[in-house]
Each structure stands twice: as structure tokens, then as C-alpha cells.
């Protein structure tokens, strides 16, 4: 899929204020600093559509972007950042779970995982929650430019083993880099296919 237009629509601190149009929506979620906002910029060919930072905790609101006048892309705050106060962490957690519990327009969620790291409890638990609530998701292993292909392959096969302790099959997954644009074609083509299926 070619992205012809991508524009910021609105930032919200509450799911009830998110756009009310019944438009297919794709959300990007994961630990703080995993690369959600950078991936969104890479997919939409923008340098700073979504705000990025090397300091975790940059995205603090639910951010809607309209793509090709056809679908919404949503940038969310990260979960699991230890260096903020408990109060702030609880506020983000509440916002995130409220979004997933209430957002009927949500078609698919991309759970971002750093391709260099072993499976972490917080990500496994979050995917468990999505599964229990029948919220469809894919995994995106980010920052692939930081390791060799061999290392990434090894890491992902280890990750699969961890996932298969809880899941019957490994969810659909992609490998991406916001630096060298790895995975862009595959992720956009997946979204295009889901959008086409919704029209049938
Ligand atoms: P929060 O909004 O704080 O939850 O973070 P985020 O998940 O949106 O991460 P963000 O996109 O802001 O990126 C965090 C840091 O990782 C930034 O310094 C980015 O430049 C860097 N980064 C993100 N994606 C990549 C990537 O694919 N490769 C490399 N090398 N660095 C990346
Ligand atoms: Mg962000």
C-alpha cells in the first residue's frame, strides 16, 4: 500500500474523546522506548508526524493520525516504564487499558518488541490480556538495524519458544527498523489486506 496522505487528527487523554467515526483503526503499543512513534513515522514517510525521543515516556496521550482518508493509525503511550512515579504509571496504564477495552473501531493492534531482548513478563502479560479479550494483534520486532540477521533470527526463535508456552501458534509477526525501513512493505501490505477484507 502506498501512503499518499498522513495527517495528525487529535491527541486525547481519554478514550471517550477519540474520533467517533467508524473508521478502521490500527494501534501501536509496547514498552516505552521500543520505537512505536519512530515506526509510525517510518511507515508514513514523515520525519516527525509522531513525536519521538530517546527519553522513555515521550508519548503520553492517545494520538490519532488519518491515513489516505481511509484508516486511522494510533500512537499510544508506552507501558512498563519504571522511572516514572507510580501515579504517572497508573495513569498511563489506565489510559491504555481503557482504550483497548472500549475502542470498538480497533481492527488490529501491533505489539512492538525490541528485537534484541528476551521475552519480558510485561509484554507476555499484555498479549495474554489481548488474547483473553479477543483483541486481534500482531507482533513487530523493532530496531532490526541494531543486530545482524543471524542474531535476530536466533532471538526470534527464542521468542517463539516463550510465546508457545502460552499460545498454540505464534501470532503473525514482522521485523522492522525505523532506520533502514526494514518491514515497511510487509506491514503496509498486511494493513491493506485487512482493510480490503473489511470491505467484503
Ligand atoms: P515512548 O513514546 O516514550 O513510549 O517511546 P516510543 O516507543 O514511541 O519510542 P520512540 O519512537 O520515541 O523511540 C525511542 C528511541 O529509540 C529514539 O531514540 C529512537 O530514535 C530510537 N529508535 C526507534 N526505532 C529505532 C530503530 O528502528 N532503530 C534504531 N537504531 N533506533 C530506533
Ligand atoms: Mg512514542
Amino acid at each position: 500500500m502506498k501512503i499518499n496522505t498522513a495527517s495528525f487528527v487529535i491527541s486525547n487523554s481519554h478514550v471517550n474523546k477519540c474520533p467517533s467515526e467508524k473508521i478502521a483503526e490500527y494501534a501501536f503499543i509496547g514498552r516505552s522506548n521500543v520505537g512505536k512513534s519512530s515506526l509510525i513515522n517510518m511507515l508514513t514517510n514523515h520525519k516527525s508526524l509522531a513525536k519521538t525521543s530517546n527519553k522513555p515516556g515521550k508519548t503520553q496521550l492517545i494520538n490519532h493520525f488519518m491515513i489516505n482518508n481511509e484508516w486511522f493509525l494510533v500512537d499510544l503511550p508506552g507501558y512498563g516504564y519504571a522511572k516514572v512515579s507510580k501515579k504517572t504509571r497508573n495513569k498511563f496504564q489506565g489510559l491504555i487499558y481503557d482504550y483497548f477495552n472500549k475502542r470498538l473501531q480497533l481492527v488490529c493492534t501491533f505489539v512492538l518488541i525490541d528485537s534484541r531482548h528476551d521475552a519480558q513478563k510485561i509484554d507476555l502479560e499484555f498479549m495474554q490480556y489481548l488474547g483473553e479479550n479477543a483483541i486481534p494483534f500482531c507482533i513487530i520486532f523493532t530496531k532490526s538495524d541494531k543486530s545482524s540477521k543471524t542474531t535476530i533470527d536466533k532471538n526470534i526463535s527464542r521468542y517463539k519458544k516463550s510465546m508457545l508456552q502460552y499460545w498454540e501458534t505464534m501470532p503473525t509477526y514482522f521485523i522492522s527498523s525505523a532506520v533502514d525501513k526494514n518491514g515497511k512493505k510487509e506491514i503496509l501490505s498486511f494493513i491493506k489486506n485487512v482493510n480490503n477484507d473489511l470491505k467484503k
Side-chain angles (χ1 to χ4, degrees):
M1 170 174 36
K2 219 173 145 238
I3 305 266
N4 298 315
T5 56
S7 56
F8 168 73
V9 179
I10 193 167
S11 291
N12 278 300
S13 59
H14 204 285
V15 66
N16 294 350
K17 293 190 183 142
C18 289
S20 56
E21 294 98 322
K22 292 199 172 55
I23 291 178
E25 184 159 312
Y26 297 82
F28 290 74
I29 186 74
R31 287 166 79 93
S32 228
N33 221 38
V34 70
K36 300 175 290 297
S37 303
S38 304
L39 177 67
I40 288 170
N41 290 335
M42 183 273 265
L43 292 176
T44 55
N45 311 313
H46 276 256
K47 272 207 177 90
S48 51
L49 187 67
K51 291 190 188 114
T52 65
S53 167
N54 56 8
K55 256 177 68 197
K58 179 68 182 172
T59 310
Q60 307 203 347
L61 298 165
I62 304 168
N63 299 286
H64 275 76
F65 302 94
M66 170 64 88
I67 312 296
N68 290 352
N69 269 326
E70 192 190 357
W71 52 281
F72 281 132
L73 190 158
V74 179
D75 190 15
L76 292 165
Y79 53 68
Y81 177 48
K83 287 187 188 151
V84 292
S85 70
K86 204 170 171 191
K87 197 172 150 205
T88 309
R89 203 161 60 233
N90 287 345
K91 195 178 88 189
F92 283 177
Q93 292 291 95
L95 183 71
I96 291 167
Y97 280 98
D98 223 30
Y99 171 83
F100 285 102
N101 288 336
K102 294 189 181 156
R103 195 68 181 154
L104 298 176
Q105 291 92 329
L106 183 64
V107 170
C108 185
T109 300
F110 294 100
V111 177
L112 275 60
I113 307 279
D114 192 317
S115 60
R116 297 167 297 174
H117 299 163
D118 278 334
Q120 315 260 326
K121 193 166 164 228
I122 191 161
D123 295 315
L124 295 172
E125 281 178 358
F126 187 75
M127 289 187 269
Q128 203 85 30
Y129 154 79
L130 293 176
E132 282 161 7
N133 290 278
I135 300 168
F137 71 93
C138 298
I139 295 178
I140 300 182
F141 293 102
T142 64
K143 307 193 185 184
S144 68
D145 59 285
K146 290 194 178 231
S147 321
S148 68
K149 185 172 177 316
T150 324
T151 305
I152 299 221
D153 287 347
K154 265 193 216 144
N155 291 356
I156 292 181
S157 73
R158 250 200 338 267
Y159 208 95
K160 273 186 196 166
K161 278 196 192 128
S162 304
M163 285 297 284
L164 293 176
Q165 290 175 14
Y166 307 92
W167 296 84
E168 271 176 34
T169 54
M170 177 72 179
T172 300
Y173 69 89
F174 304 92
I175 301 167
S176 81
S177 160
V179 171
D180 62 20
K181 301 188 190 309
N182 187 19
K184 180 176 183 178
K185 228 173 76 194
E186 292 79 5
I187 296 166
L188 290 178
S189 148
F190 174 87
I191 294 175
K192 182 184 176 183
N193 289 338
V194 176
N195 279 339
N196 286 343
D197 284 348
L198 291 172
K199 283 183 200 146
K200 281 178 193 161

